Amino acid sequence: MNIGVISLGCAKNQVDTQTMMGYLKAAGHTFTAEPADADVLIVNTCGFITSAKEESIDAIFEMAQYKETGRCRLLVVTGCLSERYRKELTEEMPEVDLFLGVREYEKLPGLIAQKLALPCSPVIVPERLLVTPPYRAYLRIGDGCDNRCSYCAIPLIRGDLCSVPAEKLIDEARALADMGVTELSVIAQDTSGYGKDLYGEPRMIPLLKELNRIDGLRWIRLLYTYPDTVTPALLDTLAEGEKLVPYLDMPLQHCNDEILKRMHRRGSKAHIQSVLDHIRTHYPDFTLRTTMMVGFPGETDAQFEELMQFLRDYPFDRVGAFAFSPEEGTAAAEMPDQIDDAVKEARLDALMEQQQKISAELNERWVGRELDMLVEETGMDGTYGRTIREAPDADGTVCIAPSYRHEPGQYLKIRLTKSDAYDMIGESV
């Protein structure tokens, strides 16, 4: 069968898509990027917040059209939305032939064979397929989460923290390096808490040191750290590892202690400030990324202004922000003092307007400096890539003059010459 796969949501979902495609390839199926040419269409959904659910539902209905206009004989929906709302979706979407959750991917070849009356092969351990470019990959070190933030539906979908044993991760990382991967992004719902369920304490530092020893890898980036397990020792490890890039992604959500408590976020504003002070003092060239939430139930004007002042006092290079969304089944959805949507959107706009200026100022400090750039695309208008300061699928890009001597996956020495809030311009050195 020729199979088309649409992968939505976060990088962790991309890893699930790769796992699913591995099982399908092992069963003899092929893949197409054109939905009209697919015998089977699979939508791997996201169900994190309302906008992600809406995007997933739109994609399902769009793919359902190919049952009439294309070759599609089977429409399959997998992932977070399917995991959480399978019963409701089954009743409301008769166009879909099969719903699967987040830990059922190995069943997929057999179920497709059953639905289409095809010969069914035994389950084979799949090879690792990449939905990312061949020079970069995500290493998911665990699934699920024990943090139980009051606004978050992830534990309702994926359950408790389940860390992958370190030896298995090292083997996977070596295999990726052997495939030609040079940039590895380490991900989980809570990366800095890795290993608490297996070893009784976080074991992120030993894992990073082992990854740093793997031949072939050049950049190793740590994403999705949780503030209370970001320690000076972890920061020192990131700074000292030859292949570990000085980039900290630490979603904070807020800085006000009362709101953090109602969010069920461990740690405090004082701890967050101590982490950032350590970086400012010892590692001023670290690139800092965070995520903030506005409009959490009960957030006052004064608490929002405290957040704005915090971002002025502790500027981050990159900030992703979103308005609180009351997700079904979460404690925050039932809290009193829900904020009006118009107020939430006004606060979000104000925060991002301020952050645009901050990001532009921080980028300007890098003009004139030389860095390595990983080439990702070359066209008539320029050669585009990223430095250690830009995470894949999240941050901006760097553009230099076009040159067809440069291939995706190649590393160049460049000098940064111009900047704006999100992107940089440079020249080859």
Side-chain angles (χ1 to χ4, degrees):
M1 290 284 106
N2 212 20
I3 296 181
V5 182
I6 295 86
S7 184
L8 304 173
C10 65
K12 296 176 282 293
N13 224 33
Q14 285 189 34
V15 176
D16 283 344
T17 298
Q18 291 169 179
T19 300
M20 175 171 60
M21 291 174 68
Y23 281 111
L24 292 169
K25 183 178 179 182
H29 297 290
T30 57
F31 301 100
T32 177
E34 297 296 332
D37 296 334
D39 302 298
V40 178
L41 282 168
I42 302 171
V43 183
N44 195 19
T45 60
C46 177
F48 179 46
I49 57 176
T50 299
S51 59
K53 296 175 188 175
E54 292 171 348
E55 181 187 20
S56 295
I57 290 169
D58 289 344
I60 294 168
F61 283 126
E62 181 182 352
M63 292 304 107
Q65 297 176 18
Y66 290 99
K67 297 181 76 173
E68 301 295 332
T69 63
R71 292 171 45 180
C72 181
R73 299 169 55 191
L74 196 71
L75 178 59
V76 182
V77 173
T78 67
C80 293
L81 191 71
S82 182
E83 174 76 25
R84 192 171 182 204
Y85 298 106
R86 188 180 319 199
K87 182 176 183 296
E88 295 87 342
L89 293 173
T90 301
E91 295 171 353
E92 296 174 11
M93 291 184 168
E95 304 91 342
V96 178
D97 302 289
L98 182 62
F99 289 96
L100 289 177
V102 298
R103 294 187 177 88
E104 299 179 282
Y105 298 114
E106 67 180 56
K107 300 178 182 178
L108 191 53
L111 290 171
I112 289 175
Q114 180 182 335
K115 288 281 186 179
L116 297 179
L118 300 172
C120 185
S121 303
V123 175
I124 302 172
V125 177
E127 63 180 284
R128 173 73 182 262
L129 297 182
L130 295 179
V131 296
T132 54
Y135 49 83
R136 65 177 176 89
Y138 292 101
L139 181 70
R140 188 169 68 184
I141 62 174
D143 199 9
C145 187
D146 290 342
N147 294 326
R148 296 300 190 271
C149 299
S150 63
Y151 53 84
C152 184
I154 292 297
L156 302 176
I157 299 169
R158 293 187 173 268
D160 295 336
L161 172 66
C162 183
S163 300
V164 179
E167 57 273 16
K168 184 175 180 180
L169 292 171
I170 299 303
D171 288 344
E172 182 179 358
R174 287 198 181 106
L176 289 168
D178 290 343
M179 292 168 59
V181 168
T182 60
E183 181 186 29
L184 196 66
S185 296
V186 179
I187 60 171
Q189 269 73 32
D190 173 9
T191 52
S192 51
Y194 166 76
K196 289 187 292 186
D197 55 321
L198 292 180
Y199 310 111
E201 61 181 5
R203 295 293 297 274
M204 189 72 254
I205 292 174
L207 177 62
L208 287 175
K209 289 181 177 179
E210 286 298 317
L211 293 173
N212 189 59
R213 298 187 180 101
I214 295 176
D215 293 336
L217 296 180
R218 182 156 175 170
W219 290 350
I220 302 170
R221 192 184 309 271
L222 182 60
L223 302 176
Y224 308 116
T225 63
Y226 194 93
D228 80 322
T229 44
V230 174
T231 62
L234 177 60
L235 297 171
D236 296 345
T237 300
L238 289 174
E240 294 163 5
E242 176 190 2
K243 301 173 184 179
L244 306 178
V245 299
Y247 182 107
L248 182 68
D249 173 35
M250 183 172 62
L252 298 178
Q253 311 307 342
H254 215 282
C255 69
N256 175 267
D257 282 330
E258 180 183 345
I259 290 183
L260 290 173
K261 183 177 180 180
R262 286 191 286 115
M263 286 181 168
H264 295 175
R265 300 280 293 178
R266 298 190 310 275
S268 63
K269 182 178 182 180
H271 173 75
I272 293 168
Q273 289 172 319
S274 70
V275 171
L276 297 174
D277 285 336
H278 183 85
I279 294 172
R280 180 181 290 177
T281 301
H282 298 282
Y283 307 116
D285 283 347
F286 258 54
T287 298
L288 299 177
R289 180 177 182 85
T290 193
T291 305
M292 292 296 188
M293 180 189 297
V294 301
F296 189 79
E299 182 189 52
T300 65
D301 289 340
Q303 289 167 333
F304 173 67
E305 179 51 40
E306 181 182 349
L307 174 60
M308 295 283 277
Q309 184 63 49
F310 174 82
L311 289 173
R312 293 192 289 269
D313 294 340
Y314 290 91
F316 283 77
D317 300 86
R318 331 275 188 217
V319 174
F322 60 99
F324 168 76
S325 173
E327 295 305 311
E328 181 184 2
T330 64
E334 305 300 324
M335 288 181 178
D337 301 321
Q338 297 282 328
I339 306 297
D340 183 78
D341 285 345
V343 174
K344 289 191 284 190
E345 290 304 319
R347 289 177 180 176
L348 180 62
D349 290 345
L351 189 152
M352 292 311 298
E353 182 179 355
Q354 172 181 284
Q355 181 57 38
Q356 191 171 28
K357 297 175 183 177
I358 292 172
S359 293
E361 292 172 0
L362 294 178
N363 275 349
E364 179 67 26
R365 298 179 187 179
W366 287 82
V367 171
R369 299 180 65 171
E370 294 183 4
L371 290 172
D372 289 339
M373 183 182 91
L374 171 59
V375 176
E376 294 204 288
E377 181 182 355
T378 292
M380 294 294 292
D381 58 340
T383 293
Y384 294 87
R386 293 176 292 104
T387 70
I388 55 174
R389 300 187 64 244
E390 291 89 25
D393 304 319
D395 298 331
T397 60
V398 179
C399 178
I400 64 172
S403 172
Y404 290 97
R405 295 180 293 109
H406 303 147
E407 298 290 336
Q410 181 181 356
Y411 290 83
L412 307 175
K413 179 69 71 175
I414 66 163
R415 180 182 297 109
L416 298 170
T417 59
K418 189 177 179 181
S419 69
D420 63 20
Y422 303 110
D423 303 315
M424 303 284 288
I425 293 175
E427 60 187 11
S428 182
V429 177

